[in-house]
Amino acid sequence: MSTVWLHRSRSIRFGSALALLALLAVPSTADAARVKGRLEGFRLLRNPVWAEAKDPSNHGYSFREPVPTVRAEFRRPFPHIPKELCVALLSASPQKAPPPILVRVGGGRTTPVTIVVPPGTRLTFQNTDPFKHRLYGVGIKTFPAADQGQGAPREWTVAAPGTYEIRDESAPSVRMWIVAEPNVASITYPSMKGEFAVNVQEPGEYTLQAFFAGKKVGEAVPVTVQAADVELKAAIKVMDQKTAEAEEKASDEKAAKATVKTGDAK
């Protein structure tokens, strides 16, 4: 089974729904099948950047106040899944690395935020902001912090299986996770409604797995692909209310302890 990816060149524009924004796998033949499905529970996912902002030692202060007219469900931050939640189609055998993949750095984020690729994949980080960035890989000796001016590209190759985190000395909100998975055959990103369709070049046995902030979320779903499209009957739940509440409570308690510790130090 071979890997088919879309290499986004600079000439490709962003769509309003960011459908082309990420590295959508595209079929090389007209009769390639697609696996269609829907994600749920994604509004309960929490980006680690938000949790860290609560720690007073990080000086992540905000002057925003709750607005009573805003519905409660929208007062809680939730991820922009068209670039934060990656749906990967995993094959039973290792896949070849795709052509170089473009990652845009701008507006306080990277696009995409989480990506799943085979080892050996080369990533090109392009600064789209009018000021410099200083990207670096956490614990990655081959990706040290370095100035990257407006429009400047920077390349890095994923050497081995594992999860890699990219940060920015100039902008703490810029964080990206790269999951190097040998068997990833194709990836896609869902719409804001959680709907997705991932392309499959060859028939066979696959596994669908969602990734968020560099980690697996939700259950792995086995899929048998033949000549026709496959539509999953049940939605894939990537987070449940009970787990989300427990994680948020733990995060709040940690932030509260840090606040008390900071106050005692003064």
Side-chain angles (χ1 to χ4, degrees):
M1 299 177 185
S2 58
T3 308
V4 179
W5 301 74
L6 170 62
H7 170 52
R8 295 185 296 109
S9 65
R10 296 183 182 181
S11 61
I12 295 180
R13 294 185 177 182
F14 292 95
S16 58
L18 298 180
L20 295 179
L21 150 188
L23 321 139
L24 301 179
V26 296
S28 60
T29 58
D31 57 351
R34 293 188 299 172
V35 177
K36 303 177 183 179
R38 181 172 58 86
L39 305 173
E40 64 178 26
F42 51 83
R43 284 180 176 268
L44 299 174
L45 294 171
R46 302 178 73 246
N47 191 305
V49 175
W50 308 334
E52 290 185 3
K54 292 183 178 181
D55 187 340
S57 64
N58 292 328
H59 306 293
Y61 302 113
S62 172
F63 296 96
R64 294 178 297 176
E65 295 182 1
V67 180
T69 55
V70 176
R71 284 160 46 186
E73 63 183 289
F74 296 118
R75 296 179 195 174
R76 185 183 188 279
F78 56 86
H80 187 72
I81 59 173
K83 66 178 179 179
E84 292 191 57
L85 188 55
C86 182
V87 180
L89 187 72
L90 307 178
S91 174
S93 58
Q95 304 292 292
K96 294 181 179 179
I101 294 173
L102 177 64
V103 177
R104 297 181 184 274
V105 184
R109 310 294 300 278
T110 62
T111 302
V113 175
T114 289
I115 188 172
V116 184
V117 297
T121 301
R122 188 167 80 237
L123 302 177
T124 300
F125 298 85
Q126 183 178 20
N127 180 8
T128 62
D129 280 326
F131 50 84
K132 72 178 181 180
H133 284 278
R134 285 182 57 82
L135 299 178
Y136 68 95
V138 178
I140 306 175
K141 295 181 179 180
T142 57
F143 201 141
D147 288 347
Q148 188 174 349
Q150 179 181 0
R154 183 178 180 186
E155 295 188 345
W156 180 69
T157 299
V158 184
T163 300
Y164 304 87
E165 183 178 353
I166 306 299
R167 294 200 180 198
D168 184 2
E169 288 186 345
S170 301
S173 65
V174 174
R175 291 178 68 178
M176 178 184 182
W177 290 269
I178 303 161
V179 180
E181 165 57 58
N183 292 3
V184 59
S186 183
I187 64 172
T188 191
Y189 292 81
S191 69
M192 287 297 291
K193 294 181 179 180
E195 299 168 343
F196 68 87
V198 59
N199 297 302
V200 187
Q201 186 188 25
E202 299 180 10
E205 301 293 328
Y206 294 89
T207 300
L208 272 176
Q209 178 67 62
F211 291 81
F212 177 78
K215 299 179 180 179
K216 294 179 180 179
V217 290
E219 296 293 329
V221 178
V223 180
T224 299
V225 180
Q226 298 179 351
D229 290 353
V230 176
E231 187 153 2
L232 303 180
K233 295 181 179 180
I236 300 175
K237 181 177 289 187
V238 295
M239 177 58 72
D240 61 84
Q241 187 70 41
K242 184 177 180 180
T243 302
E245 290 177 353
E247 290 182 355
E248 187 162 7
K249 181 180 179 181
S251 176
D252 289 344
E253 291 176 347
K254 182 179 179 181
K257 291 180 181 179
T259 301
V260 172
K261 185 177 180 180
T262 301
D264 294 341
K266 293 181 179 181

